[in-house]
């Protein structure tokens, strides 16, 4: 176990708050245990300990250990450790993301792994994008499919319009709330950069009412 993990566990156990843990768990529909550490405290501890003990070259070993802990705060830090270690990223990152999502993930993890990790990863390693997008789209796992929909959220002018359309259209008929919402979210975000493209796409494709409503939220109703 790394010095970072030892120090983090000690710090988090000291900061545990039963009252906070209760409402945090309730907010996440009682699916995950929490220590009750709020985001500002987590970030403060992480920043301090990463400066002291962080090592980008061990990002897989350290982050996997942290993600295996039951309390959700450790899983958040595992993802942050990967993000912070961008200089050392290699082909292990997509496999790590796939492993963490598994079959029973949730939006709080997926929506970090997608736009905040796989988004910049595919910009750094564009040759790998087609393989993983095809694999995840064909997986039948709607959380992995959600990653395909949202990884470009922060791309702005770098957004691949054809790819965005090609991941939305096969999923447009999905009854899954998290897919319908992600479609709308992806389109709404891109509309900030190219509203005309989004208007045209919504007008010429059949989308679920939720997806359409989210897509057009800030640019008017067709």
């Amino acid at each position: 176990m790394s010095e970072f993990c030892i120090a983090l566990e000690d710090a988090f156990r000291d900061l545990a708050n039963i009252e906070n843990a209760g409402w945090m768990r309730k907010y996440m529909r009682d699916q995950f245990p929490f220590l009750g550490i709020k985001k500002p405290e987590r970030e403060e501890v992480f920043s301090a300990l990463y400066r002291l003990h962080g090592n980008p070259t061990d990002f897989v070993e350290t982050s996997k250990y942290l993600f295996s802990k039951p309390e959700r705060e450790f899983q958040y830090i595992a993802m942050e450790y990967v993000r912070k270690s961008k200089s050392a990223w290699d082909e292990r990152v997509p496999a790590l993301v796939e492993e963490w999502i598994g079959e029973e993930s949730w939006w709080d993890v997926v929506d970090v792994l997608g736009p905040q990790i796989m988004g910049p990863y595919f910009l750094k390693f564009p040759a790998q994008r087609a393989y993983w997008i095809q694999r995840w789209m064909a997986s039948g796992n709607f959380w992995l499919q959600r990653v395909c929909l949202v990884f470009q959220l922060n791309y702005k002018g770098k957004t691949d319009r054809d790819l965005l359309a090609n991941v939305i259209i096969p999923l447009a008929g999905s009854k899954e709330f998290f897919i319908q919402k992600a479609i709308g979210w992806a389109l709404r975000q891109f509309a900030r950069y190219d509203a005309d493209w989004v208007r045209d796409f919504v007008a010429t494709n059949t989308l679920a009412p939720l997806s359409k409503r989210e897509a057009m939220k800030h640019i008017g109703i067709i």
Side-chain angles (χ1 to χ4, degrees), residues 77-131:
I77 295 299
M79 295 187 293
E80 189 61 26
Y81 199 98
V82 173
R83 289 183 62 206
K84 192 75 169 179
S85 304
K86 184 178 178 180
S87 62
W89 282 0
D90 55 31
E91 68 280 356
R92 294 174 294 174
V93 171
L96 190 65
V97 166
E98 184 176 275
E99 176 185 336
W100 284 354
I101 289 178
E103 295 296 331
E104 297 185 11
S105 195
W106 200 243
W107 63 265
D108 59 330
V109 163
V110 173
D111 292 353
V112 173
L113 295 177
Q116 297 184 37
I117 292 181
M118 291 314 304
Y121 180 86
F122 284 142
L123 289 178
K124 188 174 183 179
F125 302 103
Q128 296 184 27
R129 190 182 72 178
Y131 169 81

Side-chain angles (χ1 to χ4, degrees), residues 159-176:
T159 300
D160 185 326
R161 293 166 174 80
D162 290 339
L163 177 59
L164 183 59
N166 288 339
V167 295
I168 289 175
I169 291 171
L171 298 172
S174 173
K175 304 300 182 183
E176 172 55 53

Side-chain angles (χ1 to χ4, degrees), residues 131-143:
Y131 169 81
W132 288 102
I133 295 301
Q134 183 178 11
R135 176 185 174 93
W136 292 342
M137 286 293 290
S139 69
N141 181 328
F142 71 84
W143 291 119

Side-chain angles (χ1 to χ4, degrees), residues 153 156-157 185-196 198 214-215 217-219:
L153 281 181
K156 299 179 181 178
W185 186 18
L187 290 170
R188 184 178 77 242
Q189 188 74 355
F190 187 52
R192 299 175 187 274
Y193 180 81
D194 191 342
D196 289 339
V198 173
E214 288 292 317
K217 184 171 287 186
H218 303 302
I219 58 175

Side-chain angles (χ1 to χ4, degrees), residues 16-27:
N17 183 303
I18 294 176
E19 182 178 351
N20 287 345
W23 66 257
M24 291 167 94
R25 181 166 184 157
K26 184 176 181 181
Y27 178 71

